Amino acid sequence: MDGQLFFKKLNSLCTSKEIFDFLSSLEVMSDTMASGALQRISEIEVDDKGLKNPEGVLENEVFRALCFRFEFESSKLSNAGLLNALQALINLRIDPQSTLVASLLSEGEKRLGKGQLSVKNLCSLGESLLELENPSYATLEQIMNHMQEMDIEKWSPREMVLVYKILQVTVKEGKPYQDLLNRMNSVTLTIVSQLSPKFTSIILNSLVVLNQTQAVPLVTALCKHSVKHIAYFIGDELVDILEAFLYFGYHEQIFTEVLEKHVPKSVCTMHPQTVSKVMQYCCRKRILSKPIFDAVAESFICNGDRFTTDQIAGYIVPFGTLNYLPPSASSLFRKLETILHTRLRHFQPHTLLNLLHSCVLIQRYPLNFLPKIFSPYFLQQLQAQPPGLDRIVTSQLIHLFLTVTLECPFYEGPKLLPKNQVKGFLMPHSLDVHLLKRVKTGLLYLLKKRTYFASEVSTPYFYIVDIEIKLDEDGFVLPAAQCEEVHRRIALCVDGQSRFCPNSRNLLGEEAIKQRHLQLLGYEVVQIPFFEIENVQNCREVAEYLRKKLFP
């Protein structure tokens, strides 16, 4: 049969039985036809779980005859027939230690050593090796040495992608190929528009693994290109895209808008790990997207029982970090509590702490689970696992301690031991120095003396107040150093942009809890947000603005 006609017929068949019947009807078949048939069988019979019908394929007489031919005539096969058969057999989960696969691998390596393989052949051999559990790094290195001598500009997009994948493995083994990478990055930049969603995600993932932070033009072009394909990424592809966006610090408003359209309508069919990565992206970039968060909350309520502990935290933590309660908040946290009651012991210590900390940021109090958090054994577990009791972990523990002390006085369980409490911990969202300076200048104009207010004041309960003003019983301002006859304390929270979700007036969770706790500590909290004061022109106008805020 003519080769073209053969492959047209082969690709129209949809079951392995149909393929075997078709092959039985042929008297003569070239090795490329035979290897093509094996590849088509692997496409039909293999899914994520493995071979669907092992007996129906592996015990079939036609299949066994094909394998016999490839095993005992490997030296007579064309390069394409040899390497396509090898790839198909590995995909069909044929034992790599079998004489069949070993024979084909050995012949492929022999031809590699003689320099008989084209770029396409090299990529095919490399792809087969990557599918093996323990690939030969020496052979992969040999493939890369040959690839370095080839004309990169003539590579197809698929060949380029495969070389990036091989490089991920060889560079991890300490082999330097930066010159080759630089040339590949330059050529890839010219073909970005031709890349499919799958190829785009693979290359971006490779650039992350290979730490190609200097390839800014290529990264930018790939990120922009990926925005057009959000709806077409499948499996881990969107995860790899988001990982690259986070790794390279890339952000574009249009990407957020596309996500807002795609996630709400697809969240029920998306893999939980993908949704978790979307939430991590929003959290790290501080993007409060209500359409995404609302849809994710509904998805958690319906399917949360099936998630891993890391996925549960991935879904929930961003709500606390960005200080947002969805319309379905009561059902969301009822579901979370049910899951925690049944699976508490399955959570890793740091994952559980992150999860419960995020709850208190938005006034959801996990009182039934706090005795575990404050137990000496749990604190030892935190200390033993990276990152240990670092500044962030310690601040989370103190937030939980302050929450039960100030917001839940009826809580009678164990609390954080004094030795685990640190004095005056700093918030991660630091002060806007320029904004603070403007406010201090305005206060000086208003109060006439610098002694009437203090900045960055430590409180007995660990928080640092941006600016503190003391008043006596009649409402007159007292010197900041005076401790007697203080009737009222005003805490000015000078909130720059870093304390808000971008493009919104929504305070981040850690700022919201700080202001809530300062009020419970007896302070009158006066918020000075950047969006109110940024348009105030001169010192006198700032003073007038502060007078209205402080002494209405």
Side-chain angles (χ1 to χ4, degrees):
M1 179 182 275
D2 170 68
Q4 200 171 355
L5 188 62
F6 171 85
F7 282 104
K8 186 177 180 181
K9 173 70 174 172
L10 181 67
N11 291 328
S12 71
L13 303 177
C14 299
T15 67
S16 55
K17 185 180 182 308
E18 288 176 349
I19 294 173
F20 290 136
D21 290 344
F22 170 54
L23 297 180
S24 300
S25 69
L26 301 176
E27 291 183 13
V28 181
M29 190 176 9
S30 70
D31 62 1
T32 51
M33 288 178 179
S35 63
L38 287 179
Q39 284 192 310
R40 181 62 183 152
I41 292 167
S42 74
E43 287 170 9
I44 292 170
E45 292 292 344
V46 177
D47 60 17
D48 292 339
K49 296 175 184 175
L51 196 55
K52 297 178 196 172
N53 179 20
E55 267 187 36
V57 174
L58 304 183
E59 300 300 322
N60 184 279
E61 287 184 10
V62 177
F63 179 80
R64 293 167 74 89
L66 287 174
C67 291
F68 183 87
R69 175 181 175 182
F70 282 115
E71 181 175 349
F72 293 101
E73 296 182 10
S74 60
S75 61
K76 300 175 185 177
L77 300 172
S78 66
N79 286 342
L82 170 76
L83 297 170
N84 289 344
L86 175 63
Q87 200 168 26
L89 292 167
I90 289 173
N91 288 340
L92 285 164
R93 310 297 197 268
I94 303 299
D95 182 6
Q97 304 302 318
S98 66
T99 53
L100 169 60
V101 174
S103 171
L104 295 176
L105 259 179
S106 174
E107 181 62 30
E109 289 172 353
K110 195 184 297 180
R111 297 184 193 187
L112 171 67
K114 293 178 180 177
Q116 295 174 348
L117 302 183
S118 66
V119 171
K120 188 174 182 179
N121 298 151
L122 290 167
C123 287
S124 181
L125 178 59
E127 191 172 19
S128 297
L129 289 170
L130 292 178
E131 289 296 321
L132 298 176
E133 194 171 321
N134 296 302
S136 165
Y137 294 111
T139 306
L140 286 171
E141 189 180 348
Q142 211 176 340
I143 290 171
M144 292 315 306
N145 291 337
H146 281 290
M147 296 302 288
Q148 287 192 95
E149 298 167 9
M150 305 292 186
D151 185 353
I152 296 176
E153 293 186 3
K154 292 181 180 176
W155 294 359
S156 69
R158 184 175 185 277
E159 289 161 355
M160 189 73 79
V161 164
L162 286 172
V163 177
Y164 272 115
K165 286 177 74 174
I166 296 169
L167 278 168
Q168 285 189 48
V169 177
T170 51
V171 169
K172 277 183 184 175
E173 291 299 300
K175 306 300 178 187
Y177 290 102
Q178 191 55 54
D179 288 345
L180 174 62
L181 269 167
N182 290 340
R183 288 188 286 140
M184 286 172 60
N185 293 343
S186 297
V187 174
T188 304
L189 183 58
T190 66
I191 61 167
V192 166
S193 61
Q194 302 171 37
L195 298 175
S196 66
K198 181 179 180 179
F199 287 175
T200 304
S201 71
I202 290 173
I203 293 176
L204 270 174
N205 177 249
S206 298
L207 295 176
V208 170
V209 174
L210 297 167
N211 191 31
Q212 295 297 291
T213 50
Q214 81 290 343
V216 177
L218 176 57
V219 169
T220 304
L222 287 168
C223 288
K224 287 187 174 182
H225 183 63
S226 66
V227 173
K228 304 171 188 173
H229 299 290
I230 291 296
Y232 304 102
F233 290 117
I234 57 173
D236 291 336
E237 292 168 7
L238 183 55
V239 173
D240 288 341
I241 293 294
L242 292 165
E243 196 66 61
F245 273 47
L246 290 169
Y247 184 81
F248 292 112
Y250 185 82
H251 174 61
E252 229 182 57
Q253 181 58 31
I254 189 169
F255 182 70
T256 305
E257 292 168 5
V258 172
L259 274 181
E260 285 182 336
K261 290 178 183 175
H262 174 64
V263 174
K265 65 184 180 186
S266 309
V267 70
C268 292
T269 56
M270 291 168 72
H271 192 282
Q273 192 60 34
T274 306
V275 179
S276 191
K277 183 59 70 172
V278 169
M279 292 298 279
Q280 184 193 3
Y281 173 79
C282 289
C283 193
R284 292 260 295 273
K285 297 288 184 181
R286 297 187 288 135
I287 299 167
L288 177 55
S289 167
K290 293 181 181 180
I292 292 176
F293 278 52
D294 292 350
V296 167
E298 293 292 345
S299 171
F300 185 86
I301 293 165
C302 297
N303 306 306
D305 301 299
R306 303 202 294 266
F307 299 165
T308 67
T309 54
D310 283 342
Q311 287 164 358
I312 290 166
Y315 271 62
I316 300 298
V317 167
F319 286 95
T321 304
L322 302 189
N323 187 28
Y324 177 65
L325 284 171
S328 58
S330 58
S331 300
L332 175 67
F333 287 96
R334 197 157 50 241
K335 180 74 170 186
L336 176 61
E337 186 170 15
T338 303
I339 292 171
L340 285 173
H341 272 300
T342 56
R343 298 174 60 188
L344 188 68
R345 62 191 177 87
H346 298 150
F347 283 82
Q348 289 296 312
H350 286 282
T351 304
L352 182 61
L353 178 61
N354 278 332
L355 183 59
L356 299 188
H357 174 254
S358 70
C359 292
V360 301
L361 294 181
I362 41 179
Q363 296 178 278
R364 290 298 182 270
Y365 308 116
L367 299 181
N368 292 327
F369 313 107
L370 289 182
K372 178 182 176 76
I373 296 289
F374 292 136
S375 71
Y377 176 66
F378 185 81
L379 295 174
Q380 285 174 1
Q381 288 182 303
L382 285 175
Q383 178 73 65
Q385 295 180 8
L389 292 174
D390 67 1
R391 184 180 62 82
I392 293 174
V393 173
T394 305
S395 71
Q396 289 177 329
L397 287 168
I398 290 174
H399 272 145
L400 289 169
F401 166 69
L402 289 175
T403 296
V404 296
T405 305
L406 299 172
E407 299 186 63
C408 308
F410 48 85
Y411 171 78
E412 295 179 351
K415 294 185 179 178
L416 193 64
L417 296 173
K419 68 178 183 180
N420 297 116
Q421 301 172 19
V422 295
K423 190 170 182 178
F425 70 94
L426 295 173
M427 304 301 290
H429 310 292
S430 59
L431 223 53
D432 182 329
V433 178
H434 176 69
L435 184 60
L436 180 66
K437 187 176 179 182
R438 286 196 71 198
V439 172
K440 284 162 76 172
T441 305
L443 278 175
L444 188 58
Y445 189 94
L446 177 66
L447 303 177
K448 308 306 178 193
K449 286 185 181 179
R450 178 65 180 82
T451 54
Y452 284 124
F453 63 91
S455 58
E456 298 180 69
V457 179
S458 296
T459 68
Y461 277 96
F462 313 107
Y463 288 115
I464 294 176
V465 175
D466 297 337
I467 295 176
E468 183 185 61
I469 296 174
K470 298 174 181 176
L471 305 177
D472 66 14
E473 193 171 355
D474 297 318
F476 289 105
V477 179
L478 296 171
Q482 186 170 325
C483 296
E484 299 83 23
E485 299 178 5
V486 178
H487 188 69
R488 293 161 57 200
R489 293 174 188 266
I490 298 176
L492 268 72
C493 293
V494 183
D495 295 330
Q497 292 188 38
S498 65
R499 294 181 178 179
F500 292 87
C501 299
N503 305 317
S504 81
R505 298 186 176 187
N506 197 77
L507 266 182
L508 295 172
E510 293 196 351
E511 269 313 304
I513 197 173
K514 172 185 173 181
Q515 295 186 15
R516 202 162 68 238
H517 286 175
L518 287 175
Q519 282 183 320
L520 291 168
L521 287 167
Y523 280 94
E524 291 179 27
V525 175
V526 175
Q527 193 184 6
I528 311 293
F530 75 94
F531 51 80
E532 284 185 4
I533 202 170
E534 63 184 354
N535 294 323
V536 181
Q537 299 299 320
N538 54 45
C539 181
R540 188 169 60 187
E541 288 182 9
V542 172
E544 180 58 23
Y545 163 81
L546 292 170
R547 186 189 66 76
K548 289 177 180 176
K549 295 283 284 191
L550 292 167
F551 311 111

